[in-house]
């Protein structure tokens, strides 16, 4: 896996919020209508995300047959969504709301349908409203990642950011 991604040298280390969930505790959904937060029975990913130390989180998901892309493997767009969502959850440990500005994914090996995925993600640096994050995905407890991702998130005020868009939702 290779990338040209770098966190700017002037970015500050992330500061975990004192009221963030303790390591090992689940991180609650940010909105009931979110594709990443909803269970598979409700048409979502069915992710379980728990807090780690610092600004790190661990996400777990079983690759549902509905997520199949090529024969017997997860669709790359679904795996990209998993990365995006788990990295976004890491921002919750800083007590900020974010949206994705840039997402870069490297696929290293196929991820079979039915496999149990562990995604380890973290905020690597903060620069103003920008949060730089990274993650790796592991299949069925393997030691070598099957893929990795890097992302740039922007902090937002949800009421302002979604003000003119909320009318488009069928889940309000």
């Amino acid at each position: 896996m290779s990338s040209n991604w770098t966190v700017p040298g002037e970015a500050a280390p992330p500061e975990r919020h004192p009221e963030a969930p303790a390591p090992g505790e689940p991180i609650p959904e940010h909105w009931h209508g979110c594709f990443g937060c909803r269970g598979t029975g409700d048409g979502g990913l069915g992710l379980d995300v728990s807090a780690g130390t610092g600004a790190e989180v661990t996400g777990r998901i079983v690759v549902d047959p509905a997520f199949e892309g090529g024969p017997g493997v997860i669709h790359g767009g679904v795996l990209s969504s998993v990365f995006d969502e788990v990295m976004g959850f890491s921002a919750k440990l800083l007590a900020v709301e974010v949206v994705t500005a840039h997402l870069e994914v490297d696929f290293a090996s196929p991820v079979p349908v039915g496999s149990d995925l562990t995604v380890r993600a973290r905020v690597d640096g903060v620069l103003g409203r920008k949060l730089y994050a990274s993650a790796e995905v592991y299949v069925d407890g393997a030691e070598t990642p099957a893929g990795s991702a890097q992302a740039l998130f922007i902090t937002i005020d949800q009421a302002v950011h979604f003000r003119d868009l909320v009318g488009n939702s069928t889940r309000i």
Side-chain angles (χ1 to χ4, degrees):
M1 292 174 278
S2 64
S3 173
N4 294 326
W5 183 264
T6 57
V7 177
E10 63 271 22
E15 292 186 31
R16 185 185 182 103
H17 193 275
E19 295 178 17
E25 288 186 1
I27 299 177
E29 65 184 23
H30 62 94
W31 181 60
H32 73 275
C34 174
F35 170 68
C37 295
R38 290 193 317 263
T40 54
D42 293 326
L45 287 174
L47 278 171
D48 290 315
V49 183
S50 59
T53 58
E56 299 177 2
V57 298
T58 300
R60 300 199 188 296
I61 183 173
V62 174
V63 181
D64 190 276
F67 303 155
E68 186 172 27
V73 298
I74 195 171
H75 188 284
V78 173
L79 185 55
S80 296
S81 294
V82 170
F83 275 128
D84 182 41
E85 193 67 22
V86 177
M87 286 188 288
F89 267 96
S90 65
K92 292 182 79 58
L93 297 177
L94 311 183
V96 295
E97 296 296 333
V98 296
V99 292
T100 310
H102 176 83
L103 176 65
E104 180 178 307
V105 178
D106 290 305
F107 303 100
S109 59
V111 174
V113 168
S115 57
D116 185 3
L117 304 184
T118 300
V119 180
R120 295 189 186 110
R122 72 218 48 88
V123 175
D124 297 312
V126 179
L127 183 59
R129 292 180 51 218
K130 298 178 181 179
L131 273 71
Y132 296 85
S134 59
E136 303 79 37
V137 64
Y138 300 86
V139 177
D140 295 328
E143 292 183 23
T144 302
S148 63
Q150 300 79 36
L152 169 62
F153 293 94
I154 306 297
T155 60
I156 61 162
D157 174 332
Q158 283 191 352
V160 174
H161 185 80
F162 295 111
R163 174 184 50 226
D164 297 332
L165 304 170
V166 71
N168 295 330
S169 178
T170 59
R171 298 185 183 278
I172 298 295

